[in-house]
Amino acid sequence: MSASPALDHIEAGPHGHHYTTTGLDSRKIAVWAFIGSECMLFASLISTYLIYKGRSVVGPFPHEACNPPACATALKPILNIPVTSASTFVLLMSSLAMVLALAAVENRNLPKYSLGDRILGSSKLWLWATCILGATFLGFQSYEFTSFVHEGLSIRTNLFGSSFFTLTGFHGAHVTAGVIWLGTLLAIDYKRGLEPGDAINVDIAALYWHFVDVVWIAIFTLVYLIK
Amino acid sequence: MAHNDSAPRGGHGAEQGHGAAGAAHAAAHDAHAHPTWKQYRWVAVILTAITVVEVWVYYIPSFTRTKLFVPSLLIMSAVKFAIVVLFYMHLRYDARLFRALFTGPLIIAIVTLISLMFLFGHLAIRLAS
Amino acid sequence: MATVAASPTYAGAESGEHTGLWSWLTTVDHKRIGVLYLYTSLFVFLFGGLEAVILRAQLSGPNKHLVSAEMYNQLFTMHGTTMVFLAIMPLSAAFFNFLIPLQIGARDVAFPRLNAFSYWVYLFGGLFITLPIFFNAAPDGGWFGYAPLTTRQFSPGLHIDFWVLGIQILGISSLAAAFNFITTIVNMRAPGMNLMRMPMFTWMSFVVQFLVVLAFPVITIALFFLQFDRFFGTNFYEIGAGGDPLLWQHLFWIFGHPEVYILILPAFGLVSEVLPTNSKKPLFGYPVMVYSGILIGFLGFGVWAHHMFSVGMGPIADTVFGLTTLLIGIPTGVKIFNWIFTMWGGSIRFTTAMKFAIGLVALFTIGGISGVSHASPPADLQQTDTYYIVAHFHYVLFGGSIMGIFAGIYHYFPKMFGRMMSEKLGSWHFWLNFIAMNLTFFPMHFSGLLGMPRRIYTYDAGQGWDTFNRISTIGAYMLVLSTAIFVWNFFRSRTNGAPAPDNPWDAATLEWSIPSPPPEYNFAEIPLVESRYPLWDLTHPERTSEIPHTHDGWSDQEKAADAKPIHIERDRRTAKELGIPMPTPTIKPLFVAAGIIVMLSGLIFIHKDDKTVAAALIALGATMIVGFLYAWVTSPLEPEHH
């Protein structure tokens, strides 16, 4: 058996099978239940952001300029839509890379006829792509956070700062955990290769990754675009 | 030996009892409908396009001032949400169980959010004055 | 029929299992984990009861000074927190763990190591939140911890930090268990056990796991906000920065109301096992019982603001939540009727479990009636924050949850430990408990309506409350006596009880078809299930003749494999003899749990301004978590086989 026997456990082949009622992998069921709980987690964070929208007593504010006395000096609206649009695009493309990584692992043993096939079929390439795009998104977030702090908005400045940094910070923490998870899969791919039997593990990581992307879709609209 | 063996293969609940055939399936990709590279590319293109429209629309002040602005953004992002979930997260092609496990909590989350909007005064239904 | 005179102890030597402390620390067997939960939560229940007895002693008469006001706050906070999070939920978890795999015909839960992890997190988290009372630093903001009272400005000490972090830790335990049980119930049922054939306890537990999945994330966020306010100076609950004092209340009760259904539904499930068995009739209206359980769970998310009728939400919000609260009384009432109709025309056998089950039906109804009166916002304006509410929730939680759990303990003790509890002592326990419980809590309806507020450590004479309080305190002392009888019965029966047969109650469900206590592998041969009452099909077919029996869910595959039609197993073999692969015991879940506690303890030291200790603990805890988690996920659950 392989060096990471946990990955071979239930689905691997005719040996080591356990009867299941649904014919589905238990880990996939568990991860969807987990995603259900994450829906409520992010709904609470987003609700709080929306509840406190427009209620900060002092600036800076997301979409409006801030003038004395709410601000010591006049400030422009703090959210940077062009930069965030770019980071949103990056995260969306990371989902594409993720989907291709999973397909590459599932189809590992299919014949590859052209260069295009080989590119599409390289799980390492697409896992790298997902990680790099994810890390790029995190880079954008760090840039945004630090520039906001420079412009006078920290997590303790006002309601906007508290709810914004907590919401996007939780999201960023989820992205970070995802990048680490995918990095681990990448390391396994280098160490012994990801076989179709490992597809379930990549699938679970992918579901988590896409969900984090989908939460960002909601955040981008509700926080950045809606004034 | 009292150990139940069967070869469940992800996807359909009805696929119990595939036995050795199931294992062979596992080596190739799933027999049921499965998005192709073309479809994935299309999804990516549509996601990008909708994002472009959303940002574009944000910069049209005459539109952002209308009552249509917020609903249109909500619809556009709902569409993006849905296609990532249906196609990238494979929910369209997977067992119905996963759809239930996701949409249940999603609905409760959305209803709770909307209720909180009402309770904190961000939304209001105006009754006859 | 079991003939072994000395009934096998939990890890029988003849089964070749390990014994001793290490075997318990490394166990991943759901039955052992269930027993761990049971012992721990029973002990904690006694501790929480002790806290209540001190409260009652303090309130036995006007202007007493047994405890200071500060200590009183800690006592009632810890009594509530202990009973809700450390006693009732884990008592339910004891049954989830022990029973669910047995009832569905499985050999263990879907993720046995995650299961062990849930227990250790509960134990360590419970210690984390309870030990501070010995240093006068226990949480003191109520079990509901309303902000802004619990913000740093108004609660400057460590008390609330312990509370916030402690509840977060316990949330991890419950959430992990919920993912585990959802997967187990969905995916590990025996062939033929379709959803509408599952025992009611499993069904109610199934609903509860979804409530946990949906409700706990909300309080997690509410607690993070409070934590961030206290540690990092954020503004979520800061009125001066524009924060809304209602934010905490809404978020807390969006969790808190489903939480009370989490507390009651398992007890309902246990009663739904005990009543049919001891009436020798199938449960009346099984499908309706299932649907009403689901409806209660679902509607439970729509009633939360009935805890906030006095905050000024406005007439529309009050009306909407009043309506939904009245609505939720309907499926609950349906259950009461179904239980009554189950007993009607049956041949009742008054075992101790049966008495407690009937007790739940009666006492929960009383609690439900006061509950309906709270659903009306104008009525609630008088009742809220008075002892009338205390009466209500003790009727539903003590008369409901605890009675149901006692019913479950008496009913399942033989299966768990291979011995029978004393029916005589059980009868004493029941009657004393029943009388004492009513003596303690019924007067509170009156003192409450006469205006006695909650959470006061003392009161002046002459307001009409004195007699009621005195009666309540006498009742509380009687509860101590009745509980002592129970504890005596429990421990004595463990060693001296009559050896239990595999089906002492002549019950219908799968857990009774295997020896008491079950062998490590549960079922030597997974049964094929044909109906809702598989054992009665064998032993009392006339009882279930009207219920459809089909072979849905079977296939030639299973028939050809080792699953066998429903049968009774009396032999006790080892898994090795039978060639059944068992999960390997492991200490890793315990150390990951310990790592979490160590890390969060570090946060306490941040508040104490001891930054080096804090950093060291956080680093140590994080290392433990990452290291043992990595070892856990990369090691196989079972030794390589085939």
Side-chain angles (χ1 to χ4, degrees):
Chain A
M1 275 294 179
S2 58
S4 296
L7 296 183
D8 299 309
H9 181 225
I10 290 181
E11 284 296 299
H15 22 194
H17 267 117
H18 295 276
Y19 166 79
T20 62
T21 311
T22 58
L24 304 166
D25 192 299
S26 285
R27 289 168 289 180
K28 200 160 170 181
I29 297 174
V31 87
W32 275 111
F34 172 69
I35 288 175
S37 77
E38 295 267 86
C39 282
M40 287 301 283
L41 191 93
F42 280 105
S44 311
L45 284 164
I46 293 174
S47 299
T48 304
Y49 179 86
L50 293 176
I51 286 170
Y52 279 158
K53 205 171 155 77
R55 294 205 193 178
S56 292
V57 170
V58 299
F61 306 111
H63 292 109
E64 318 85 51
C66 187
N67 294 307
C71 293
T73 57
L75 290 174
K76 55 182 179 37
I78 202 165
L79 290 180
N80 188 334
I81 305 300
V83 165
T84 316
S85 308
S87 69
T88 304
F89 174 72
V90 162
L91 201 60
L92 286 175
M93 290 304 108
S94 78
S95 268
L96 174 66
M98 183 75 246
V99 141
L100 294 176
L102 175 60
V105 171
E106 285 173 339
N107 300 332
R108 186 192 180 90
N109 296 331
L110 287 184
K112 297 176 173 51
Y113 299 111
S114 63
L115 177 64
D117 279 350
R118 277 200 293 279
I119 292 176
L120 279 180
S122 167
S123 58
K124 290 192 187 65
L125 169 68
W126 295 113
L127 282 175
W128 266 116
T130 317
C131 287
I132 290 175
L133 289 168
T136 308
F137 174 83
L138 290 171
F140 273 109
Q141 291 293 86
S142 314
Y143 166 72
E144 184 186 44
F145 282 16
T146 45
S147 65
F148 282 10
V149 171
H150 275 165
E151 290 170 46
L153 181 75
S154 77
I155 200 173
R156 344 145 69 120
T157 310
N158 55 9
L159 292 179
F160 167 54
S162 294
S163 54
F164 172 82
F165 281 109
T166 307
L167 169 60
T168 52
F170 261 86
H171 178 262
H174 278 75
V175 175
T176 308
V179 171
I180 294 175
W181 189 348
L182 292 171
T184 313
L185 286 172
L186 191 56
I188 295 175
D189 204 0
Y190 274 106
K191 189 167 169 202
R192 64 165 176 82
L194 288 170
E195 297 293 321
D198 298 311
I200 179 68
N201 289 284
V202 184
D203 196 356
I204 288 172
L207 287 172
Y208 172 82
W209 187 261
H210 294 308
F211 180 72
V212 169
D213 184 12
V214 135
V215 168
W216 183 256
I217 292 174
I219 293 177
F220 181 55
T221 304
L222 293 169
V223 172
Y224 289 87
L225 294 182
I226 294 184
K227 297 197 228 210
Chain B
M1 214 258 311
H3 182 55
N4 254 328
D5 256 73
S6 87
R9 191 57 210 128
H12 302 302
E15 270 183 30
Q16 294 180 21
H18 264 214
H25 267 306
H29 73 94
D30 289 350
H32 56 272
H34 193 99
T36 56
W37 156 237
K38 273 189 89 179
Q39 278 182 302
Y40 288 146
R41 206 178 43 196
W42 259 117
V43 169
V45 164
I46 294 176
L47 286 174
T48 312
I50 297 180
T51 312
V52 166
V53 172
E54 284 179 328
V55 178
W56 193 339
V57 145
Y58 173 85
Y59 282 112
I60 305 176
S62 54
F63 183 64
T64 64
R65 278 195 286 266
T66 64
K67 281 204 162 92
L68 229 46
F69 175 58
V70 172
S72 70
L73 277 181
L74 290 176
I75 291 174
M76 282 191 278
S77 42
V79 169
K80 287 200 310 194
F81 190 106
I83 59 178
V84 171
V85 170
L86 288 171
F87 293 96
Y88 283 174
M89 292 172 89
H90 222 242
L91 214 49
R92 180 151 184 251
Y93 304 97
D94 264 346
R96 282 201 342 251
L97 166 71
F98 298 136
R99 231 177 279 175
L101 277 179
F102 181 67
T103 48
L106 183 68
I107 290 174
I108 296 210
I110 293 177
V111 170
T112 308
L113 192 149
I114 295 176
S115 311
L116 284 171
M117 292 297 97
F118 274 108
L119 284 163
F120 280 91
H122 285 274
L123 282 176
I125 298 178
R126 240 151 249 123
L127 304 170
S129 53
Chain C
M1 190 70 170
T3 54
V4 183
S7 181
T9 53
Y10 218 84
E14 77 272 305
S15 68
E17 292 161 31
H18 295 291
T19 54
L21 179 64
W22 188 252
S23 71
W24 286 94
L25 296 178
T26 57
T27 186
V28 295
D29 180 343
H30 70 97
K31 302 183 288 299
R32 285 210 184 195
I33 294 172
V35 169
L36 283 172
Y37 268 109
L38 183 64
Y39 271 89
T40 311
S41 51
L42 277 178
F43 178 74
V44 168
F45 173 68
L46 297 179
F47 197 72
L50 188 64
E51 286 162 343
V53 166
I54 300 175
L55 293 177
R56 282 304 337 153
Q58 166 69 7
L59 290 177
S60 59
N63 287 317
K64 285 200 174 286
H65 290 282
L66 199 68
V67 292
S68 66
E70 237 312 302
M71 178 48 74
Y72 189 89
N73 289 346
Q74 294 181 38
L75 281 170
F76 79 70
T77 302
M78 283 317 294
H79 170 70
T81 304
T82 301
M83 287 308 195
V84 169
F85 291 105
L86 302 179
I88 299 185
M89 283 184 80
L91 280 168
S92 304
F95 286 102
F96 298 155
N97 271 278
F98 191 86
L99 264 193
I100 290 178
L102 297 181
Q103 287 199 328
I104 62 176
R107 292 220 164 93
D108 207 314
V109 295
F111 305 108
R113 293 174 296 185
L114 190 66
N115 203 13
F117 171 75
S118 282
Y119 170 73
W120 294 113
V121 172
Y122 153 61
L123 177 68
F124 296 148
L127 288 169
F128 180 90
I129 207 172
T130 306
L131 290 178
I133 201 168
F134 294 110
F135 303 95
N136 210 6
D140 59 354
W143 85 275
F144 38 77
Y146 274 18
L149 175 64
T150 45
T151 59
R152 188 60 64 102
Q153 179 184 3
F154 299 107
S155 292
L158 287 175
H159 310 256
I160 300 300
D161 298 311
F162 279 113
W163 185 75
V164 167
L165 295 173
I167 306 282
Q168 293 281 43
I169 295 168
L170 297 170
I172 296 173
S173 167
S174 296
L175 273 171
F179 300 136
N180 214 341
F181 287 114
I182 287 176
T183 309
T184 304
I185 293 174
V186 165
N187 221 20
M188 298 181 67
R189 287 169 279 137
M193 166 91 53
N194 52 42
L195 286 176
M196 293 307 268
R197 287 189 186 150
M198 293 197 310
M200 276 305 294
F201 174 74
T202 300
W203 246 120
M204 293 299 100
S205 307
F206 193 40
V207 174
V208 163
Q209 305 314 323
F210 282 101
L211 294 181
V212 170
V213 163
L214 293 170
F216 269 85
V218 183
I219 194 178
T220 303
I221 291 301
L223 289 168
F224 266 113
F225 289 166
L226 185 55
Q227 216 173 319
F228 284 9
D229 271 15
R230 290 180 66 87
F231 284 101
F232 305 130
T234 51
N235 300 301
F236 292 104
Y237 306 116
E238 285 304 313
I239 311 299
D244 197 322
L246 291 186
L247 178 68
W248 170 271
Q249 292 190 38
H250 278 293
L251 290 178
F252 180 83
W253 288 115
I254 290 174
F255 152 79
H257 197 84
E259 169 67 11
V260 312
Y261 293 112
I262 291 169
L263 294 175
I264 192 63
L265 285 177
F268 280 359
L270 288 170
V271 164
S272 294
E273 299 295 339
V274 171
L275 281 183
T277 304
N278 290 301
S279 309
K280 306 195 174 108
K281 276 176 71 199
L283 183 70
F284 185 91
Y286 174 97
V288 169
M289 290 295 261
V290 170
Y291 299 139
S292 61
I294 296 173
L295 197 57
I296 290 172
F298 177 70
L299 284 177
F301 276 97
V303 301
W304 80 83
H306 67 217
H307 299 270
M308 299 164 62
F309 279 149
S310 64
V311 305
M313 296 184 295
I316 297 179
D318 281 352
T319 313
V320 167
F321 282 102
L323 274 174
T324 54
T325 307
L326 286 169
L327 264 177
I328 207 171
I330 296 177
T332 321
V334 159
K335 283 185 173 290
I336 302 280
F337 282 114
N338 278 347
W339 285 323
I340 295 175
F341 294 147
T342 302
M343 292 187 282
W344 188 276
S347 167
I348 312 285
R349 181 179 48 197
F350 284 102
T351 62
T352 309
M354 187 59 164
K355 290 173 183 150
F356 274 105
I358 299 174
L360 178 148
V361 176
L363 296 177
F364 185 85
T365 304
I366 297 178
I369 292 173
S370 56
V372 167
S373 72
H374 308 324
S376 157
D380 188 60
L381 274 183
Q382 181 190 5
Q383 301 159 2
T384 193
D385 274 343
T386 70
Y387 264 79
Y388 187 82
I389 304 284
V390 179
H392 160 73
F393 65 71
H394 281 96
Y395 265 87
V396 293
L397 286 179
F398 198 130
S401 301
I402 295 293
M403 289 253 170
I405 287 168
F406 278 139
I409 293 177
Y410 281 96
H411 194 70
Y412 283 106
F413 186 97
K415 181 56 59 181
M416 281 182 167
F417 301 113
R419 292 189 184 268
M420 307 296 290
M421 287 180 87
S422 157
E423 281 295 315
K424 185 145 170 262
L425 286 176
S427 207
W428 274 97
H429 173 211
F430 171 74
W431 285 110
L432 265 177
N433 195 302
F434 187 81
I435 294 169
M437 188 267 168
N438 281 291
L439 261 185
T440 313
F441 298 112
F442 201 71
M444 292 182 182
H445 291 105
F446 300 106
S447 53
L449 285 179
L450 285 173
M452 181 174 177
R454 293 170 68 174
R455 309 177 211 120
I456 51 171
Y457 84 112
T458 189
Y459 54 91
D460 282 332
Q463 301 183 75
W465 307 339
D466 303 12
T467 317
F468 296 125
N469 274 283
R470 201 163 308 128
I471 299 175
S472 287
T473 303
I474 294 173
Y477 294 153
M478 260 180 86
L479 278 175
V480 173
L481 180 59
S482 87
T483 310
I485 294 176
F486 164 74
V487 171
W488 172 248
N489 191 358
F490 188 92
F491 283 103
R492 194 142 187 282
S493 307
R494 285 245 34 212
T495 47
N496 288 45
D502 39 80
N503 194 357
W505 315 120
D506 199 13
T509 42
L510 289 179
E511 69 270 27
W512 303 104
S513 71
I514 54 181
S516 303
E520 52 174 340
Y521 50 81
N522 297 350
F523 300 91
E525 290 156 335
I526 304 288
L528 290 172
V529 174
E530 247 186 15
S531 81
R532 222 170 260 162
Y533 302 98
L535 273 190
W536 280 353
D537 288 347
L538 278 184
T539 54
H540 299 281
E542 73 284 358
R543 291 185 191 166
T544 59
S545 52
E546 279 163 24
I547 300 174
H549 290 55
T550 65
H551 290 191
D552 287 345
W554 295 19
S555 76
D556 291 339
Q557 173 77 7
E558 285 90 41
K559 280 184 170 164
D562 306 289
K564 290 254 146 53
I566 182 68
H567 56 280
I568 296 176
E569 294 179 6
R570 299 223 164 89
D571 285 342
R572 180 177 291 280
R573 313 250 286 279
T574 65
K576 217 151 133 200
E577 280 170 31
L578 293 168
I580 299 173
M582 297 296 297
T584 320
T586 166
I587 195 80
K588 302 182 191 84
L590 190 155
F591 277 117
V592 177
I596 293 177
I597 305 302
V598 168
M599 199 169 89
L600 293 181
S601 303
L603 287 181
I604 297 278
F605 282 92
I606 291 182
H607 183 178
K608 286 186 65 166
D609 254 341
D610 205 336
K611 296 267 165 51
T612 33
V613 177
L617 283 175
I618 293 174
L620 174 63
T623 314
M624 283 173 78
I625 296 172
V626 170
F628 282 101
L629 195 56
Y630 177 78
W632 169 352
V633 304
T634 53
S635 58
L637 178 64
E638 298 164 358
E640 290 306 311
H641 57 272
H642 294 299

